[in-house]
Amino acid sequence: MKPIVKEIFEKIDDYAPFFIAEDWDNSGLLVGNKESAVERILVALDLDEEVLSLAVKDHIDLIVTHHPVIFHSIKSVTGSDFIGRRLMTLIKNDISVISAHTNYDIAIMGRIAASKLALKNVSPLEVTGEIDGEPAGIGVVGDVEPTELKTVTFSTKIGFDLDAVRVYGSDRKVRKIAICPGSGGGNVERAVKAGADVYITGDVSHHTGIDAVASGMAVIDAGHAGLEHVFVPDMAAMLRLSFPAVYVDTLEKISPFETV
């Protein structure tokens, strides 16, 4: 029997509860009918033109993204802007969209990042709520055996399959690491207060990086999607295990741009 969108939404909700999403976020079922049957799912970080074209071509019933397809409020859906055109295409082709953004960040993303760098004594970088009575939030802080910054940099590249990262700060002993997948420039002060020797995140501005070093902490900027792209294989694996009769495809891009 084919599952319906509602059942897949409920399974994602069990995995990364939507109630813990940040107030400013827009996670959930954003497009489609919760009663629609689902035979084919596509998992991606963003719903861009490439993802949309593949979904239409392959007769996908449901797209599951990390970043919401609708983020800011909209007053009309027309062909005059790219958001309207995407929504019209989705509706025309009966494609539903579920986005699991900050709920996934809080419930799953930090744990994956911590495991890739073998962090111990892990705690949230920014506590935003609770899951099962335990503090939960954006990013993580944890301990490592004393090592060099260049070793942490190499481990970040290997662990997250990255060609390059930007590093602020000279080589030093690292005993505590803070990680915030996505755009984490706003949490630099929290990482410093947590005693991190290095902060791994994305979208760090020139002056933020310099200020972090002046505060005694190095920064590894892996790009916005550099750490977040783990969402795609992880979510796909969960859905395949939960719905073995459903075809689950992925489109994984570590970066939406090229460095030339």
Side-chain angles (χ1 to χ4, degrees), residues 61-112:
D61 303 300
L62 171 66
I63 301 173
V64 178
T65 67
H66 182 49
H67 296 131
V69 63
I70 304 171
F71 194 76
H72 301 292
S73 60
I74 55 177
K75 294 185 177 181
S76 63
V77 178
T78 71
S80 61
D81 64 82
F82 71 94
I83 294 293
R85 290 193 294 272
R86 287 177 187 172
L87 295 177
M88 291 169 67
T89 300
L90 290 166
I91 294 168
K92 179 181 178 181
N93 289 276
D94 197 20
I95 301 172
S96 299
V97 180
I98 296 173
S99 296
H101 190 209
T102 55
N103 59 309
Y104 183 89
D105 288 338
I106 293 167
I108 308 294
M109 187 85 77
R111 174 173 56 78
I112 293 176

Side-chain angles (χ1 to χ4, degrees), residues 41-45 63-64 231-232 235-236 239 248-252:
I41 298 174
L42 176 60
V43 182
L45 199 63
I63 301 173
V64 178
F231 168 87
V232 177
M235 180 61 72
L239 292 172
V248 180
D249 196 7
T250 63
L251 202 164
E252 184 175 0

Side-chain angles (χ1 to χ4, degrees), residues 169-185:
S170 57
D171 207 10
R172 65 191 66 198
K173 283 292 182 185
V174 174
R175 296 175 175 82
K176 187 180 289 288
I177 297 175
I179 309 173
C180 184
S183 183

